[in-house]
Amino acid sequence: MQHLTVLGTGVLGSQIIFQAAYSGKDVVAYDISDEILAKLPERWEYLKPLYLRDLPDATPEKLDAAVARIRASSDLGDALKDADIVIEAVPERLDIKQQTWEKVGELAPEKTIFCTNSSTLLPSDIAKFTGRPAQFLALHFANEVWINNTGEVMGHADTDPKAFEAVAVFAEEIGMVPIRIHKEQPGYVLNSLLVPFLSAAGQLLVRGVATPEDIDSTWKIATKSPLGPFEIYDIVGMMTPYMLNKDSDNPVMREFAEMIKRDYIDKGYLGKGAGRGFYTYE
């Protein structure tokens, strides 16, 4: 599958776009407006030095060639016309994802395999809206995909096994380690482990137990982990924990979401990619 279309150019969507192009795929970056897409060149310039720092085989020439394989479009029909595979990375709301896939199902070629990068929603909650449930499944990426390179592949009861395996192969072709999930699980493997950990940190902060710095230091010193939970929040970006927790059954986590919106999102402190979240970055 050479021709990829990525729906959504946020933090993770733009990483998927760049990683696939770096791996030799032809990629169309779709978003809802030209104003959003006009910011993508800045994102590529942000990612290039990270690839040079982290990947031994990265060169300026390879990175420029990756950018040359990316085409941006705000016309969904145009973005889908050659797609062998579509990866959706739109906001983590079920209604938005369902509406997006309804439109994609109407416009995409018959050959196209459909993948959602949803962090917590099940493929079976979305599949019927595509009109092609057999060709629909999940391919989930971790943030900073070029180094945290898991590709969790998870179908639903009606996913065609051939489509499942094709996506696993595609994930490997773009530098991921394919993790085959054998049963639908909210949060896959990664977020089933990570979300409770991050939630516990958020609750400690809201309850005034300790500062983000001290919570992170405790975790890193005691476990020798390279990152603490609030450093991970900054990498993920503030919108994801806000969307996941604003309607939580847990009142403390709802308060955490309100705090994120008030003290961070509303001030433009969207995380590491924006230069500031719980921490400030160069």
Side-chain angles (χ1 to χ4, degrees), residues 7-8 14 37 48 57 59 86 105-106 122 127 155 165 201 205 218 244 252 259 282:
L7 310 176
S14 61
L37 295 172
K48 283 180 180 180
D57 68 341
T59 65
V86 174
E106 294 171 358
L122 293 175
E165 195 56 34
L205 178 61
T218 301
L244 288 176
V252 179
M259 184 201 74
E282 294 182 1

Side-chain angles (χ1 to χ4, degrees), residues 64-100:
D64 289 341
V67 173
R69 284 190 283 270
I70 300 168
R71 181 174 72 86
S73 179
S74 60
D75 180 323
L76 185 59
D78 170 66
L80 294 168
K81 64 183 181 182
D82 296 320
D84 297 312
I85 181 170
V86 174
I87 299 175
E88 165 264 305
V90 305
E92 189 73 356
R93 268 181 45 185
L94 182 59
D95 59 335
I96 293 176
K97 291 184 182 292
Q98 289 171 341
Q99 291 163 15
T100 299

Side-chain angles (χ1 to χ4, degrees), residues 12 16 116-120 138-143 150-154 176 187-191:
L12 198 52
I16 296 167
T116 180
N117 179 56
S118 173
S119 299
T120 58
L139 175 57
H140 181 250
F141 296 81
N143 221 298
T150 54
E152 296 181 280
V153 184
M154 184 171 76
M176 301 297 105
Y188 313 79
V189 173
L190 176 60
N191 282 332

